[in-house]
Amino acid sequence: MKKLVIEGGRELSGTINISGAKNSVVALIPASILTKGKCVIHNVPAISDVDALMDIMKFLGSDIKYENETLYIDNKNVENKNIPDKYASKLRASYYFMGSLLGVYGKVNIASPGGCVIGSRPIDFHLKSFEKMGAKVKEVDNSFNITSNGLKATEVFFDFPSVGATINVMIAAVRAKGVTRILNAAREPEIENIANFLISMGAHIKGAGSGTIEIEGVNTLGDGEITVIPDRIEAGTYVIIGALLGKKLKIKGVISEHIDSLLYKLKEMGVSFKINGDTIVISKCKSFKPVNIKTTVYPGFPTDLGQPMSTLLTQCSGECVFEETIYENRLRHIPYLNAMGANINALDKKAVVFGPSQLRGRKVKATDLRAGASMLVAGMIAKGNTTVTNVEHLLRGYERIVDKLNDVGGNIKLLDE
Ligand code: EPU
């Protein structure tokens, strides 16, 4: 187990470069299975979720190499094997192998996905859609056994615009017979990135990034190439840190429209920043006005930024209401913020934050990935030193986070527990 020891109160200046998006690359790698050709994926972050997916790819017979932020994939020797728990449970995104293996082989057997414990996280939309495409789904001993005589196109309407289900059905439909329509599809930017990768292989997809996606099945696919879009959650996390500790801190390699929901909130709080092309320049704000935050689907305020944002809310002068609407358990970090001196009343998915509070260094825990980001931000603004345990969660999603922050003036140590 690893922990971070963070010295609070250090001013940050210089440039932080944003890496490729975790939630894009974790679908791009399994999607590559659709072709026996060669794939190149650029701007791949060195995070442990990528390592876990490379292990699954190698297990299936892929020749996959990671060099200079680029993945080179040759799937000509891939076979459809049962993916056991020791691989699938390492991360949430292992479920994308359902869509890709089902698409190519008409069947798949894979253990349940893992991922952060932030709610019940069912995958019923994925499974019901595969069934509508003609597959039979059996859940036996914590594994999904999905079989078909080849997938058929269909129309699906999601009760909720699920990111994972949209991507999984889009991947599966690429090789299905006929035209599949996904209605009430998720519109997160990662979806368009994945569609563009599939299109580069020869898939026929229209409307990715909108609420209706149309996929016309094709029989074969060729080589594929894509650049992973910048990670909007990583960018947003550093922008939040910049608003608290920056001295003309530059966050570079950002598509600013992807974090408009955050940037507009920061303006409402009185934070000033400049956007120069792909760079956001931000300095510490002296006094934050209170705001309310309600997480929702894109282009609304992202659930993945809710936890780091809640740390910033502790510095507002007055009362802020924070509401999480996507997951049941994304407020598990609040008791740790309170232990550090915050004044937050949390009930279910809602929290009222009274500020400003001077946070003090304590020993706290990263209960999940974005909770880890919240604790890191808290440690960086606290008086004294903060120890954050269980930071494997954090390292799963943020590339070289300790180096990136130390390079701009932070003092953070990554140590064995
Ligand atoms: N849902 C269902 N049934 C389904 C699928 C989803 O009820 O079949 C519900 C979920 O329980 C949840 C909501 O729909 O309440 C949204 O879930 P969604 O499917 O959109 O989330 P996901 O695909 O499991 C991805 C990211 C998450 C991110 C969400 C929302 C990956 C691997 N994970 O999860 O990322 O929070 O979209 O943007 O892409 C993170 O990075 O910290 C993270 C958790």
Side-chain angles (χ1 to χ4, degrees):
M1 299 298 272
K2 303 237 180 255
K3 64 179 179 186
L4 292 181
V5 179
I6 304 161
E7 183 194 335
R10 292 178 69 99
E11 191 174 78
L12 306 179
S13 63
T15 303
I16 298 180
N17 288 304
I18 297 307
S19 304
K22 169 182 90 76
N23 287 347
S24 206
V25 76
V26 295
L28 291 168
I29 297 171
S32 76
I33 289 283
L34 286 179
T35 181
K36 291 279 174 192
K38 291 186 175 147
C39 293
V40 183
I41 307 178
H42 304 277
N43 198 30
V44 174
I47 51 176
S48 55
D49 271 9
V50 167
D51 297 334
L53 287 168
M54 285 180 68
D55 287 343
I56 301 180
M57 293 290 286
K58 285 177 189 160
F59 167 76
L60 294 172
S62 173
D63 181 6
I64 180 165
K65 286 187 197 76
Y66 183 65
E67 281 168 19
N68 301 325
E69 308 263 298
T70 304
L71 272 179
Y72 300 90
I73 306 173
D74 184 344
N75 286 336
K76 69 173 181 295
N77 295 323
V78 163
E79 287 172 45
N80 189 11
K81 295 187 195 163
N82 295 356
I83 302 178
D85 179 72
K86 71 168 178 166
Y87 291 119
S89 66
K90 286 262 168 67
L91 77 171
R92 188 84 196 144
S94 56
Y95 58 29
Y96 292 129
F97 285 100
M98 287 183 181
S100 57
L101 289 169
L102 198 55
V104 180
Y105 301 97
K107 54 185 181 182
V108 56
N109 189 305
I110 182 165
S112 288
C116 289
V117 185
I118 50 181
S120 59
R121 308 189 83 180
I123 56 166
D124 52 325
F125 303 162
H126 308 233
L127 301 175
K128 277 185 200 152
S129 305
F130 296 146
E131 281 174 341
K132 265 201 105 183
M133 297 174 92
K136 285 205 169 66
V137 178
K138 275 194 208 147
E139 203 182 333
V140 188
D141 295 338
N142 201 34
S143 274
F144 293 94
N145 186 28
I146 312 177
T147 51
S148 76
N149 296 319
L151 295 181
K152 289 181 219 59
T154 188
E155 190 164 285
V156 294
F157 186 104
F158 294 136
D159 294 345
F160 183 88
S162 152
V163 171
T166 300
I167 296 173
N168 228 346
V169 174
M170 183 169 76
I171 292 173
V174 165
R175 300 284 295 265
K177 278 200 179 69
V179 178
T180 297
R181 271 182 208 91
I182 307 176
L183 307 177
N184 199 22
R187 293 183 288 158
E188 272 67 5
E190 291 75 22
I191 290 159
E192 196 178 350
N193 198 208
I194 291 138
N196 285 337
F197 179 47
L198 298 170
I199 290 167
S200 80
M201 295 176 191
H204 295 173
I205 302 174
K206 282 191 220 149
S210 78
T212 303
I213 306 180
E214 233 177 60
I215 308 113
E216 186 187 353
V218 294
N219 289 332
T220 51
L221 293 166
D223 297 347
E225 187 162 3
I226 193 74
T227 299
V228 182
I229 56 169
D231 194 311
R232 62 197 165 94
I233 307 302
E234 185 198 20
T237 305
Y238 291 130
V239 167
I240 289 169
I241 292 174
L244 289 160
L245 294 163
K247 188 179 176 199
K248 292 193 176 158
L249 181 68
K250 296 188 188 67
I251 325 281
K252 190 172 167 38
V254 187
I255 300 177
S256 67
E257 304 88 79
H258 288 178
I259 51 168
D260 269 347
S261 57
L262 169 67
L263 297 178
Y264 276 86
K265 273 296 163 194
L266 292 179
K267 275 187 198 159
E268 205 182 318
M269 295 167 94
V271 177
S272 52
F273 53 86
K274 284 207 180 88
I275 302 175
N276 296 328
D278 74 347
T279 303
I280 297 175
V281 187
I282 189 160
S283 295
K284 176 185 173 139
C285 177
K286 289 204 179 76
S287 167
F288 296 94
K289 292 185 200 133
V291 292
N292 296 332
I293 299 285
K294 188 172 185 171
T295 64
T296 183
V297 295
Y298 187 84
F301 199 95
T303 171
D304 297 343
L305 276 180
Q307 289 156 304
M309 187 67 179
S310 64
T311 306
L312 173 54
L313 296 187
T314 67
Q315 303 307 300
C316 290
S317 310
E319 185 181 310
C320 302
V321 177
F322 172 79
E323 196 180 348
E324 161 67 21
T325 72
I326 309 291
Y327 296 111
E328 302 91 319
N329 286 325
R330 245 188 170 169
L331 297 188
R332 293 196 305 159
H333 64 297
I334 299 288
Y336 295 104
L337 283 178
N338 280 340
M340 292 178 77
N343 183 0
I344 307 175
N345 281 342
L347 189 65
D348 293 334
K349 299 196 284 183
K350 213 169 189 174
V352 184
V353 186
F354 305 93
S357 302
Q358 168 69 66
L359 302 185
R360 292 175 302 274
R362 285 277 180 280
K363 187 171 180 192
V364 292
K365 188 173 164 187
T367 50
D368 59 67
L369 164 55
R370 308 299 171 187
S374 162
M375 291 300 109
L376 173 79
V377 180
M380 292 189 79
I381 59 172
K383 203 166 183 189
N385 285 347
T386 297
T387 300
V388 187
T389 62
N390 284 57
V391 288
E392 278 76 9
H393 287 300
L394 183 71
L395 306 177
R396 273 188 35 231
Y398 289 86
E399 183 180 45
R400 296 178 41 250
I401 187 162
V402 173
D403 293 345
K404 285 190 187 189
L405 287 168
N406 285 344
D407 287 350
V408 294
N411 181 12
I412 306 172
K413 290 186 187 74
L414 177 64
L415 304 169
D416 288 324
E417 264 190 60

